[in-house]
Amino acid sequence: LGDVYKRQVVTAAAAIAFPAAGGLWILAEPVMAVLYGSCPEEATLAVASLRSLLPGMVCLCLTVPLCSILQGMGKAILPVKCMLAGVAVKLIGNLVLIPRPAFCITGAGISTSACYLLLLLLILWNLRRILGQSLGLLRPLFPVFLSAVCCTATACLLYTSDAADDS
């Protein structure tokens, strides 16, 4: 029962995170246009920054329930240790990417996504080490991922057809 529950919790988080990230990727331009209405140059920069943050958002959404599982197992310090490694990656990434004109503020998003990806991988590794077996997440996450791809494709089709109708 415990393993099934762990998979269900992560699958539920993925069911929210995957399509939200896909939809926000597609709709980043109009969202930023609303937020930065009178500043189109800033809106354009913000689109790239937002999109660079979305992979990290997905990793973070998957990490939160996994950290709760570790805490429930009496291993509350492990997520903190893993986060320290993630913070180091973020700091180094920010120092390297932000000063480069090719990245600028998007470099911060890339660093943040790298931080949360590393955090997710370390948490999964620790869970596998503690449990002595894999959580078996690939099979239950595949249909969620496939649904998110369909959702994102639909958002893209609707957004592009609406944009074509406006012109």
Side-chain angles (χ1 to χ4, degrees):
L1 180 65
D3 290 339
V4 171
Y5 176 72
K6 291 170 188 152
R7 280 191 290 274
Q8 287 176 341
V9 168
V10 175
T11 302
I16 296 168
F18 290 173
L24 199 49
W25 184 281
I26 299 300
L27 299 175
E29 290 177 20
V31 167
M32 290 299 121
V34 168
L35 294 175
Y36 293 93
S38 62
C39 307
E41 296 85 17
E42 286 86 350
T44 302
L45 286 173
V47 167
S49 297
L50 176 61
R51 286 180 174 158
S52 69
L53 281 169
L54 291 174
M57 182 213 61
V58 170
C59 291
L60 181 61
C61 288
L62 297 177
T63 298
V64 170
L66 293 172
C67 287
S68 297
I69 292 168
L70 280 172
Q71 290 169 352
M73 297 169 68
K75 305 289 185 186
I77 195 66
L78 276 175
V80 176
K81 291 178 179 178
C82 294
M83 183 54 91
L84 286 174
V87 168
V89 166
K90 181 172 173 46
L91 178 63
I92 292 167
N94 282 348
L95 293 173
V96 170
L97 295 176
I98 292 174
R100 297 178 187 255
F103 293 103
C104 294
I105 193 68
T106 303
I110 294 168
S111 297
T112 302
S113 287
C115 164
Y116 289 130
L117 174 62
L118 177 64
L119 179 61
L120 175 62
L121 294 174
L122 288 173
I123 295 292
L124 286 170
W125 178 76
N126 276 295
L127 273 169
R128 181 182 180 110
R129 185 178 54 83
I130 291 166
L131 296 172
Q133 64 183 7
S134 171
L135 284 175
L137 293 175
L138 289 180
R139 179 171 281 159
L141 287 180
F142 182 73
V144 174
F145 178 76
L146 190 59
S147 297
V149 168
C150 293
C151 188
T152 303
T154 302
C156 183
L157 287 171
L158 292 174
Y159 176 65
T160 55
S161 70
D162 187 47
D165 290 344
D166 289 344
S167 45

